[in-house]
Amino acid sequence: MTALDLAGPVAVVGTGTMGQGIAQVALLAGHLVRLYDTAPGRAREAAGAIGARIDRLVEKNRLTAADGDAARARLVPAEHLTDLADCALVVEAVLEELGAKQELFRALEDIVGEDCLLATNTSSLSVTAVGGALRNPGRLVGLHFFNPAPLLPLVEVVSGYATDVSSATRAYETARAWGKTPVACADTPGFIVNRIARPFYAEAFAVYEAQGADPATIDAVLRDCGGFRMGAFELTDLIGQDVNESVTHSVWRSFFHDVRFTPSLAQRRLVESGRLGRKSGQGWYDYREGAEPAEPHTAEPRPAPAYVVAEGDLGPASELLALIREAGVQVREDEEDHGTRLVLPGGGQLTLADGQTSVEFRDVVYFDLAFDYRKATRIALSASQDTSAQTLSEAIGLFQALGKDVSVIGDVPGMIVARTVARIVDLAHDAVAKGVATEEDIDTAMRLGVNYPLGPFEWSRRLGRTWACSLLDDLHERDPSGRYAPSLALYRHSYATEKREGAS
């Protein structure tokens, strides 16, 4: 099967932000689009709003006037559900309530032709469950667009348990013909993006709950060190705390309260207090008029150490050695030691975050994982109450000499970026092992769906295939709740790699 013939009308049921966005995508791909909403007059209002957006595209020279006129002419508000009888595809974007979706599709089955493809845009419900109420669930597929649909390229094409292969293929090819980047996935809680992205929020909230750092500092480290487009706190304020928490709870419940997906108590309190983010004026941050912007913790200037002793190549942080030399700090190499740390002039050690804590060792400062140490503008350091003032000062001064802002956080195992990336990598390996999606589609989904600087498997290859498992093992030893226990898939991947490397 191929993409829908352009002569086949497309219907969008539901005229909220997502429904309007999907309708606009289909319109500009050349389809006749019928827009339906149960609320009287809502479809006509939505058609007017879509037409206005098309006019703005013409004004910005992103669309010719003729193409804009043709697109508006193809948009038809439907007054009755029966007006959708000749449609080749119906995309549902109504309330995220299972009963409402099932009722809609049952009604559509009695109206549309047998070859009409039915699609749900659900982000949190089971596609299998939505289709379970149909006489022919094989023609129902998930088409999960991301908001705003006209701008974001990713579409998750979700096959329910009963979805026909031909239906999924047709939906996939249609999304691609519409200029989108489709990824195929099985019907699992959260699909790809909302399943694998949970640690991005969860670990930031966990560091905050452990009083390791404040929201502004955690966000700054995720952005300026980790390479993420936004920090977890500012992003959930933008999404809406109630919306983000609802997705987290849905995934957690759907996985039978798996500890890896446990919601945040701090976020629960935020929602209970009505601080939902930008839309309510307050969330993790204060958006009210006159409010002072929250600033990350940044250490005061310290002198750079005259030299450091490199014991080993620093593993994933090896590019730091070149940066240190370029900054005029002498690097003395200990060729007999096979460790992965720097020794400072005062005798203290500077080590990449590995899932352990500073308090366990004599005079150790940890530094966080960076997406790109040369481009990073901020580095997080972690020290305990037993770390000497000289060692911490020398560590701060060293990174400041590299042109970095330095944020000192609490003695949090795995710090901020490192633990977040390790858990994302782990969930990605687990998803592949369970047939959710391919490595390539997962990497594509995480880059395009949530703007990660790298896909999980790209990260894994860059950091070393045993890195994530080793860090999570250390974290699990310090928090044996199961939250950080490496998945069997990641363990097998890491162990097999170690065996191959040992054999060579």
Side-chain angles (χ1 to χ4, degrees):
M1 300 291 287
T2 59
L4 296 172
D5 189 302
L6 289 182
V10 171
V12 178
V13 179
T15 59
T17 301
M18 184 57 76
Q20 290 184 32
I22 296 170
Q24 182 177 327
V25 171
L27 269 178
L28 296 183
H31 287 276
L32 171 67
V33 175
R34 296 209 171 97
L35 199 57
Y36 175 77
D37 198 292
T38 55
R42 189 72 58 82
R44 194 165 297 279
E45 292 175 9
I50 295 169
R53 284 197 291 274
I54 290 173
D55 288 341
R56 286 196 291 273
L57 292 175
V58 173
E59 291 170 5
K60 295 177 180 179
N61 294 318
R62 296 178 183 174
L63 196 66
T64 67
D67 286 343
D69 290 341
R72 283 194 303 276
R74 289 194 300 271
L75 182 57
V76 180
E79 295 186 6
H80 307 286
L81 199 62
T82 51
D83 295 339
L84 313 184
D86 63 340
C87 288
L89 166 66
V90 179
V91 183
E92 164 274 315
V94 303
L95 182 71
E96 282 288 273
E97 201 279 312
L98 180 60
K101 293 179 186 294
Q102 289 178 327
E103 182 179 354
L104 170 64
F105 283 117
R106 278 197 299 264
L108 284 168
E109 267 197 313
D110 293 331
I111 295 170
V112 299
E114 292 184 2
D115 60 345
C116 177
L117 184 64
L118 302 178
T120 173
N121 184 60
T122 184
S123 62
S124 61
L125 298 175
S126 163
V127 173
T128 301
V130 174
L134 302 183
R135 294 191 301 273
N136 178 18
R139 63 169 163 171
L140 180 81
V141 66
L143 270 179
H144 181 216
F145 289 78
F146 287 74
N147 194 27
L151 298 180
L152 294 186
L154 184 70
V155 177
E156 292 177 320
V157 180
V158 186
S159 293
Y161 185 79
T163 301
D164 291 336
V165 172
S166 59
S167 298
T169 301
R170 195 178 183 201
Y172 186 98
E173 294 300 334
T174 296
R176 186 157 62 179
W178 289 1
K180 296 301 181 181
T181 303
V183 291
C185 64
D187 184 20
T188 185
F191 308 142
I192 297 175
V193 172
N194 279 330
R195 172 180 179 149
I196 295 173
R198 294 345 294 165
F200 178 73
Y201 312 108
E203 294 312 307
F205 298 161
V207 172
Y208 169 75
E209 290 174 340
Q211 300 187 53
D214 60 275
T217 299
I218 296 169
D219 277 354
V221 171
L222 286 168
R223 287 193 315 268
D224 305 340
C225 181
F228 292 96
R229 185 73 60 86
M230 298 179 74
F233 296 90
E234 60 185 334
L235 180 55
T236 53
D237 267 357
L238 178 64
I239 295 169
Q241 298 302 330
D242 52 340
V243 174
N244 180 260
E245 192 204 30
S246 176
V247 174
T248 299
H249 271 267
S250 174
V251 173
W252 178 58
R253 287 192 303 269
S254 297
F255 278 113
F256 307 106
H257 296 180
D258 186 329
V259 68
R260 295 176 301 167
F261 301 101
T262 300
S264 162
L265 180 59
Q267 188 180 40
R268 175 91 292 264
R269 293 291 179 258
L270 205 65
V271 172
E272 289 175 340
S273 71
R275 299 187 175 190
L276 305 182
R278 288 183 177 272
K279 63 185 177 183
S280 69
Q282 285 181 286
W284 295 111
Y285 300 110
D286 192 340
Y287 302 94
R288 295 172 298 180
E289 187 176 353
E292 291 290 328
E295 297 293 337
H297 167 76
T298 304
E300 294 295 324
R302 307 288 175 86
Y307 69 90
V308 295
V309 178
E311 297 183 348
D313 64 3
L314 301 188
S318 59
E319 64 182 319
L320 277 177
L321 296 178
L323 297 179
I324 293 170
R325 291 188 179 97
E326 292 169 14
V329 178
Q330 182 184 8
V331 177
R332 302 174 182 175
E333 297 190 24
D334 186 343
E335 296 181 357
E336 295 184 1
D337 196 292
H338 299 287
T340 55
R341 57 186 174 269
L342 296 174
V343 179
L344 299 163
Q349 297 179 8
L350 188 57
T351 303
L352 176 63
D354 58 7
Q356 301 182 85
T357 57
S358 178
V359 74
E360 300 172 51
F361 305 97
R362 185 187 68 81
D363 217 13
V364 168
V365 172
Y366 280 104
F367 64 94
D368 209 348
L369 178 70
F371 169 63
D372 184 325
Y373 284 99
R374 185 173 291 276
K375 294 180 180 179
T377 58
R378 181 178 299 271
I379 294 291
L381 300 180
S382 175
S384 74
Q385 66 271 22
D386 296 331
T387 304
S388 72
Q390 179 182 354
T391 295
L392 182 57
S393 178
E394 289 174 344
I396 293 170
L398 176 64
F399 281 104
Q400 288 175 336
L402 307 186
K404 317 298 185 188
D405 290 327
V406 177
S407 294
V408 179
I409 69 171
D411 190 15
V412 180
M415 301 192 68
I416 298 171
V417 180
R419 70 196 287 173
T420 299
V421 170
R423 287 208 59 216
I424 289 169
V425 168
D426 181 54
L427 289 187
H429 276 277
D430 185 54
V432 169
K434 292 176 178 173
V436 174
T438 65
E439 291 186 9
E440 182 181 3
D441 276 356
I442 287 175
D443 276 352
T444 298
M446 302 314 290
R447 285 196 316 270
L448 299 184
V450 278
N451 288 311
Y452 283 4
L454 289 174
F457 294 97
E458 292 171 320
W459 241 316
S460 184
R461 289 188 289 272
R462 173 189 280 203
L463 296 171
R465 297 177 69 181
T466 64
W467 176 84
C469 190
S470 177
L471 187 143
L472 290 174
D473 263 334
D474 283 336
L475 271 169
H476 178 56
E477 184 177 337
R478 284 147 190 83
D479 179 0
S481 64
R483 178 188 181 105
Y484 300 104
S487 67
L488 182 58
L490 184 64
Y491 177 79
R492 283 173 170 158
H493 178 79
S494 177
Y495 184 69
T497 301
E498 287 183 338
K499 283 183 66 178
R500 285 195 299 270
E501 291 174 352
S504 62

